[in-house]
């Protein structure tokens, strides 16, 4: 049983490792480095850079902590070296797992020449042909390039250039007030840059709850970030080392760099997918609930299939696709699927954001009868002691049953705290069951506890545990 995986990002390497654990012989094809966007140009570089940015922020506020300090300044070369060290360590760990699991890694650009044949062209032009019984496509995503902007200009960057850390621009115009745009806005503003964010829709983080949008915009404005909302960048022109963005309302913004971050698109074009008979939705591969494409024995996962383009979603889908591929090769029915309703998402600004499930408005649009509770970090001892007490926990629960429908957290460690809602949500627990658990003290989590107790009272749900605990 031989399985080929095309693309070595979180989706692809998770599929490869799971298939190997299940006894398949696996070939993993990667054109750059294992780890994909997430480890090399995405999640990990940005969070590493943001950690330094938030240390600068803390030293700037040293007096508030009873300390005397000169605000930290950026050493770009050292910042880049630290980022590269973290990335290299993690890529090395993925390579080590591939070796331990006996996953064969073939480096080069893979192309389907038949549904289950991958031709790999290495950097030196040599080719290798991989024949398999099943193939998992995991070629991820690439930055979406706005057609009206000349991305060949040296002063127009995508997030790939920004994470390469050639420099920290003193003045930057960021196109797009989504997750990637705001994380860079936070980092650059903390490093002392002048930052303008241009967002087409009337608020930043489009699609998010309004209270979340307001809170994060307010925090970034305090840092000095200037938002231009409800307006787009019409054109960009470079003159020497400076670049000018002209907005659709006629305003112009001149800076060192324009960072284009309007989103990403699935990376499904140019690798022979439609030619092999695989049905596409523009650049995305179409799949069913078991990640099967329109061609038998070919699966697709992760950013390549669109939807929630997140690393942990790609990983979960990769494992599910591998299980299904192995099952089908054994003549069994596929069963593995990922329920996206309980998947958390985060933004690593300060304060951070963690969301899961529905907001009150989207729950109501789905016809659910819900209540919403908002509990602020300002009343939490741990948050006050840490000097990071901005933000709130917002819980949405169903009337009567107390089922958790969703949660939005803005505040310290929001990306970690949201798990404390997504896990009980996926276990079918009620707000009463979460709220009446004993939480450690002092912890940031206590805000979740008190929000859940209030939500339990409002929904009128029972405090009885669904399954009595076993000791
Ligand atoms: P990718 O990680 O894109 O991997 C695809 C791989 O396929 C790449 O290694 C590529 O080189 C390879 N490849 C492509 N075509 C071929 C080919 N023809 N032959 C061989 N190899 C090929 N997600 C989060 O969950 N949390 C975050 O905090 C977060 N932050 C992000 C920050 C930034 C700046 C960016 C850009 C993204 C961020 N993401 C984050 C998104 C996350 O990186 C992606 O969702 C995730 O990497 C998707 O995994 P994937 O395996 O589907 O694709």
């Amino acid at each position: 049983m031989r399985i080929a995986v095309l693309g070595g990002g979180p989706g692809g390497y998770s599929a490869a490792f799971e298939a190997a654990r299940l006894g398949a012989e696996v070939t993993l094809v990667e054109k750059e480095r294992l780890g994909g966007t997430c480890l090399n140009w995405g999640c990990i570089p940005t969070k590493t850079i943001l950690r330094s940015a938030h240390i600068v922020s803390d030293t700037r506020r040293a007096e508030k902590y009873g300390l005397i300090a000169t605000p930290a300044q950026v050493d770009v070369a050292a910042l880049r070296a630290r980022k590269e060290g973290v990335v290299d360590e993690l890529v090395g760990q993925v390579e080590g797992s591939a070796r331990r699991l006996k996953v064969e890694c073939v480096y080069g650009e893979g192309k389907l020449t038949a549904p289950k044949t991958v031709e790999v062209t290495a950097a030196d032009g040599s080719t290798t042909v991989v024949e398999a019984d099943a193939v998992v496509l995991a070629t991820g995503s690439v930055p979406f390039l706005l057609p009206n902007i000349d991305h060949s200009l040296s002063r127009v960057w995508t997030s790939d250039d920004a994470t390469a850390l050639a420099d920290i621009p003193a003045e930057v115009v960021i196109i797009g007030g989504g997750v990637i745009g705001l994380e860079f806005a936070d980092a650059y503003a903390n490093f002392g840059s002048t930052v303008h964010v241009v967002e087409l829709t009337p608020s930043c983080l489009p699609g998010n709850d309004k209270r979340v949008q307001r809170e994060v915009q307010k925090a970034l404005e305090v840092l000095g970030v200037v938002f231009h909302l409800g307006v787009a960048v019409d054109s960009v022109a470079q003159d020497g080392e400076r670049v000018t963005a002209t907005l659709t309302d006629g305003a112009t913004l001149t800076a060192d760099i324009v960072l284009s971050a309007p989103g990403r698109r699935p990376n499904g074009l140019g690798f022979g997918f439609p030619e092999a008979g695989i049905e596409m939705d523009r650049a995305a591969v179409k799949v069913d609930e078991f990640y099967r494409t329109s061609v038998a024995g070919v699966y697709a996962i992760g950013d390549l299939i669109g939807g929630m383009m997140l690393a942990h979603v790609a990983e979960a889908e990769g494992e599910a696709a591998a299980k299904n591929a192995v099952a089908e090769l054994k003549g069994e029915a596929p069963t593995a699927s990922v329920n996206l309703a309980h998947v958390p998402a985060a933004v690593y600004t300060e304060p951070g954001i963690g969301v899961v499930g529905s907001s009150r408005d989207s729950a109501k649009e789905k016809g659910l009868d819900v209540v919403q509770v908002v509990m602020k970090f300002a009343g939490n001892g741990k948050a006050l002691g840490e000097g990071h007490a901005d933000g709130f926990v917002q819980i949405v629960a169903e009337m009567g049953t107390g089922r958790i429908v969703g949660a939005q957290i803005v505040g310290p460690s929001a990306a970690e705290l949201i798990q404390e809602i997504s896990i009980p949500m996926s276990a079918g627990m009620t707000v009463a069951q979460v709220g009446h658990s004993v939480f450690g003290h002092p912890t940031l989590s206590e805000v979740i506890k008190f929000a859940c107790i209030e939500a339990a009272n409002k929904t009128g749900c029972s405090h009885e545990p669904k399954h009595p605990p076993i000791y």
Side-chain angles (χ1 to χ4, degrees), residues 5-14 28-47 106-112 118-120 137-143 159-160 163 179-181 183-184 264 267 269-271 273 301-305 308-315 317 344-348:
V5 180
L6 188 54
Y13 71 68
S14 300
L28 177 57
V29 180
E30 168 55 51
K31 73 173 175 183
E32 310 242 3
R33 289 179 91 194
L34 293 188
T37 304
C38 177
L39 264 55
N40 295 290
W41 314 281
C43 328
I44 299 302
T46 49
K47 274 76 232 180
V106 176
Y107 289 93
E109 183 170 299
K111 202 171 171 175
L112 289 187
V118 184
E119 187 181 273
V120 189
L137 306 176
T139 51
S141 62
V142 288
S159 61
D160 290 354
T163 53
V179 177
I180 295 176
E183 288 188 350
F184 279 110
R264 296 178 65 83
N267 184 27
L269 302 177
F271 313 127
F273 303 163
I301 49 128
D303 282 10
L304 176 62
I305 63 170
M308 276 180 115
M309 289 164 81
L310 294 169
H312 42 291
V313 171
E315 281 177 10
E317 290 174 349
V347 188
Y348 293 73

Side-chain angles (χ1 to χ4, degrees), residues 255-276:
D256 300 312
I257 292 292
V258 166
L259 171 57
S260 174
R264 296 178 65 83
R265 69 150 178 88
N267 184 27
L269 302 177
F271 313 127
F273 303 163
E275 295 81 354

